[in-house]
Amino acid sequence: MSLELLVENARIVDGTGSPWFRGAVGVTDGTISHVRRAADHGLDAETRIDAGGSVVCPGFIDAHSHSDLELFADPTLAPKTRQGITTEILGQDGFSMAPLYDESAIDGWRERLSGLAGRLDREWGWNSIGEYLDEIERAGLAPNVATLVGHGTVRYEVLGMEDVTPTDADLEEMAGLVREGLEDGAIGLSTGLVYAPQTYSDTEEVSRLVAELEPYGQPFVAHVRSEGRWIWEALDEFIDVGAEHGVPLHISHFKLTGEEQQGKAERLLAQVEIARERGVDLTADQYPYTAGSSMLTSLLPPWVQSQDSTAIRETLADPERREEIRADVEEWRIDGWENVGGRPVGTGSR
């Protein structure tokens, strides 16, 4: 039988958890049609590749990606595809590229996200999640992508960067944007409760938005409110919201940070098991390296993060305001704030 493509002399890992085996993989019309264990497979193809004993396996899924804008500059996402990553989950930490309809605010959001997502050197050609996905399709993207709808994005659309409690009407507008995003194809809701503007949200706000996931059975994905001093309270909040609404939960970059939490990994893992015993569908991801990165503004107290970039620079140039910032960081004056800069050097980073 003649196929389009044949990869032979491969060590095949099929993704089922079974041990690898030697064999061949055949492709017809762009789809895997044959997997044979024997070296004498009896297959032929227009193109034959001798894998030379290399591993052939299903593509990897990057469960936490910030390639939301990079994919327009490099539709192949070459650094990822060269590592075998064929699927990316975008819209992480509450920062999706849509829905945004306030044209006067889009430039400000672009500026906010540039530390994570980079910059797109052209106008955004979308407002809704659906339009964003259509724009991706037109870019001729090589890998598969899916996006979450971001809590921060919908809050910014309705309330800007202000540290305010939403009215009932505001909450309903935000919930409507989440619902619209899910209808447009978003695969869940994300938040990053250490980042502005979602750091200003209370549990009631988070719960109201998570409620929109119930009819869809889609997950709530969170960079929880703390990974250090307040992590136990942060996990309780996250798990309780998921239990209330019966939606799957996923913790982004699952870890402990800071000297006060050293040696407590078993307690952290036990929290996952306890949640599962409650019937909560809880999973987590972790990056396999010791370095981390974030936006520089995440080191600043929440009252500074609510300002635009010009106001932040003015605040940092003011000696009295800098002293307030120093005291907030060094003296831990703000309860519940994920004070990354207040940790001794070398005790962990985002």
Side-chain angles (χ1 to χ4, degrees), residues 158-191:
V158 176
L159 298 171
M161 295 300 296
E162 297 301 315
D163 180 2
V164 295
T165 300
T167 65
D168 289 344
D170 292 333
L171 268 179
E172 289 309 307
E173 185 177 355
M174 292 162 64
L177 289 169
V178 172
R179 186 166 58 252
E180 173 198 290
L182 295 168
E183 287 289 333
D184 279 354
I187 62 166
L189 170 70
S190 78
T191 192

Side-chain angles (χ1 to χ4, degrees), residues 41-103:
H41 45 70
L43 299 174
D44 196 6
E46 299 172 18
T47 303
R48 299 172 70 115
I49 297 175
D50 184 344
S54 295
V55 170
V56 174
C57 64
F60 301 136
I61 299 171
D62 186 342
H64 190 102
S65 172
H66 290 289
S67 301
D68 310 67
L69 296 179
E70 178 61 23
L71 54 81
F72 294 107
D74 176 14
T76 68
L77 290 179
K80 299 293 188 72
T81 54
R82 286 172 180 160
Q83 298 177 72
I85 295 167
T86 59
T87 300
E88 303 244 312
I89 310 300
L90 311 173
Q92 301 287 346
D93 297 321
F95 298 124
S96 59
M97 301 301 109
L100 285 172
Y101 294 97
D102 184 351
E103 296 292 339

Side-chain angles (χ1 to χ4, degrees), residues 112 161 163 193-196 199-200 294-318 321-330 334 336-342 350:
R112 286 277 171 181
M161 295 300 296
D163 180 2
L193 293 170
V194 301
Y195 296 117
T199 191
Y200 309 127
S294 186
M295 296 177 287
L296 188 59
T297 51
S298 66
L299 297 171
L300 299 172
W303 60 269
V304 183
Q305 293 188 47
S306 65
Q307 303 170 357
D308 63 28
S309 57
T310 299
I312 289 175
R313 287 192 289 270
E314 291 172 354
T315 296
L316 293 174
D318 184 329
R321 303 295 268 173
R322 283 205 309 273
E323 178 57 26
E324 289 182 53
I325 294 170
R326 183 206 61 76
D328 284 342
V329 172
E330 295 183 2
I334 303 175
W337 168 44
E338 180 77 331
N339 182 9
V340 180
R350 178 157 296 97

